Amino acid sequence: TVALATVRVSIHPSIAARAMSSLRRTDLLALSHLRNDGRKPGEIRRMTVKMGPLTTSGSASGSALVQMGLTVALATVRVSIHPSIAARAMSSLRRTDLLALSHLRNDGRKPGEIRRMTVKMGPLTTSGSASGSALVQMGLTVALATVRGPAECARRSDELPDRAVLDVTVRSAPFAPGGDRRSANPQTDRRLLEQSNLTKKAMEAAILLHLFPRSRISIDIVILADDGGRLCAGINAATLALVDAAVPLRDMVCACSAGLASGAGADGADVELVDLNALEARSFGGEAAVHLPCATMPQRGTVVLAQCESRVSIDTFERVLAAAMEGCAAVFDIMQASVRERAAALLAARNGNASIESGF
């Protein structure tokens, strides 16, 4: 026995559409445990934010547009400040707050960064008045060094039978210091005499004096501008002037200072500063500054000068000395590049490829 049954149901299209719509919005969401807009129970609506839609037009100091789902809100802020108060606030913010928040020094440098250094070798050599010369600028400190010799001693009593005599003179131009503009006598001024002796000891460690017995080498250093670190700038200028004069050296002497800033770190710890300027060398937060001028021969790893007049522990001294040696390494890179540039210029002149520049 075989039986076949068929059933046909016809539904109007509008009724079918309403049924499908009702199925999507209720049954499907209910079966999926979703809310009426398709979100999960712990899910927020879609949120978009645009900051400053009206700030650039100048009609508001600040503005923001926030959209959460189909809800949109626009907020504007207008702040009126007297121009004089605003100028003082911005000036104070730039010089103190921004630098302090960024953990930068008063001139915008990082703790381990040296000042901008420029070198010019041979500014007075071509005139014939000196065997070698160099002009070094470290920040706002400028030093000019000239070398004369090796030459015969004026008196026989000044000669040494086994090595040359080295004379170093440090002078300061009347316009160099920031406050006192009186001309200091390099023969009687205590600070200039001390810096002359320190520079002489540093240079004697590098110059091969035994190659020039019964002769004299004179180094004259003039400080044209002083913003701290004039001893280091003078030593660097003297080294480059000796290189320009073709005086044989064991290694170039590079000098840089370092110090310690109390509580200047992010967590209130002490921070080592490299290449101090005049303001940093005087004091840190009202306390006496730890100032350590250092001169090294980087390629030999030798310290030829390290002077610290503050009372510090051995660990603190080693930290500051390590920072100063890193500064000397950075100075060495700049000095080495200038020496190579000078040698390339002289070689080009020897081959007839040099160009003449007029100073007028």
Side-chain angles (χ1 to χ4, degrees):
T1 302
V2 180
L4 175 62
T6 59
V7 177
R8 291 180 176 88
V9 179
S10 299
I11 303 176
H12 195 275
S14 61
I15 300 175
R18 288 196 298 269
M20 290 299 295
S21 176
S22 175
L23 179 63
R24 291 174 182 169
R25 301 299 300 170
T26 58
D27 299 340
L28 289 180
L29 293 177
L31 292 174
S32 303
H33 303 288
L34 299 177
R35 298 155 71 173
N36 58 1
D37 53 1
R39 292 179 293 141
K40 297 179 181 179
E43 186 179 358
I44 66 171
R45 289 175 292 180
R46 181 180 180 183
M47 181 177 177
T48 58
V49 177
K50 183 177 182 182
M51 297 187 64
L54 302 179
T55 306
T56 55
S57 62
S59 59
S61 302
S63 59
L65 181 66
V66 176
Q67 179 180 359
M68 299 180 66
L70 299 179
T71 304
V72 183
L74 174 64
T76 58
V77 177
R78 294 176 176 85
V79 180
S80 299
I81 304 176
H82 193 273
S84 60
I85 300 177
R88 289 196 299 268
M90 288 300 295
S91 176
S92 176
L93 181 65
R94 290 173 183 168
R95 299 301 302 169
T96 57
D97 298 340
L98 286 180
L99 293 177
L101 291 174
S102 303
H103 302 290
L104 298 177
R105 296 153 72 173
N106 56 5
D107 53 2
R109 289 181 292 151
K110 298 178 181 179
E113 185 178 358
I114 66 173
R115 291 175 290 182
R116 181 179 180 183
M117 183 176 177
T118 57
V119 175
K120 183 177 181 181
M121 296 185 63
L124 302 179
T125 306
T126 56
S127 63
S129 60
S131 303
S133 59
L135 181 68
V136 173
Q137 180 177 358
M138 300 180 67
L140 299 179
T141 302
V142 183
L144 174 64
T146 56
V147 174
R148 293 174 176 83
E152 295 183 359
C153 297
R155 294 179 297 182
R156 188 176 295 273
S157 58
D158 296 337
E159 298 178 353
L160 294 177
D162 57 342
R163 62 185 181 91
V165 178
L166 180 63
D167 292 335
V168 178
T169 304
V170 178
R171 296 181 294 147
S172 179
F175 50 82
D180 190 5
R181 293 182 176 271
R182 293 175 297 178
S183 178
N185 187 354
Q187 304 298 329
T188 57
D189 188 85
R190 182 182 61 84
R191 294 174 299 176
L192 295 179
L193 287 175
E194 181 183 7
Q195 292 181 359
S196 299
N197 292 331
L198 293 176
T199 305
K200 180 179 179 180
K201 293 179 180 179
M203 293 296 103
E204 285 179 343
I207 303 175
L208 300 177
L209 297 175
H210 64 278
L211 299 180
F212 307 99
R214 301 182 184 276
S215 60
R216 178 186 299 274
I217 301 175
S218 300
I219 303 176
D220 189 11
I221 302 172
V222 181
I223 307 300
L224 302 178
D226 186 8
D227 187 43
R230 65 178 182 181
L231 174 61
C232 299
I235 292 176
N236 296 332
T239 301
L240 293 174
L242 289 170
V243 173
D244 188 52
V247 176
L249 304 175
R250 294 182 176 88
D251 189 8
M252 287 197 298
V253 180
C254 305
C256 185
S257 62
L260 192 68
S262 302
D267 53 352
D270 297 342
V271 178
E272 299 83 13
L273 304 181
V274 178
D275 193 11
L276 307 183
N277 55 29
L279 182 61
E280 294 172 338
R282 285 195 293 267
S283 65
F284 289 110
E287 300 180 0
V290 178
H291 185 209
L292 175 66
C294 177
T296 64
M297 291 190 288
Q299 297 181 99
R300 301 171 66 94
T302 305
V303 178
V304 297
L305 172 65
Q307 182 188 27
C308 183
E309 299 179 355
S310 303
R311 286 188 174 183
V312 294
S313 62
I314 299 298
D315 296 338
T316 302
F317 177 79
E318 291 179 351
R319 289 168 51 193
V320 177
L321 180 60
M325 294 183 67
E326 292 180 0
C328 293
V331 171
F332 171 74
D333 294 337
I334 300 175
M335 294 173 60
Q336 187 181 42
S338 65
V339 171
R340 291 179 176 177
E341 183 180 356
R342 175 68 171 172
L346 293 177
L347 182 61
R350 181 178 181 180
N351 296 333
N353 299 325
S355 59
I356 300 176
E357 297 181 359
S358 177
F360 298 97

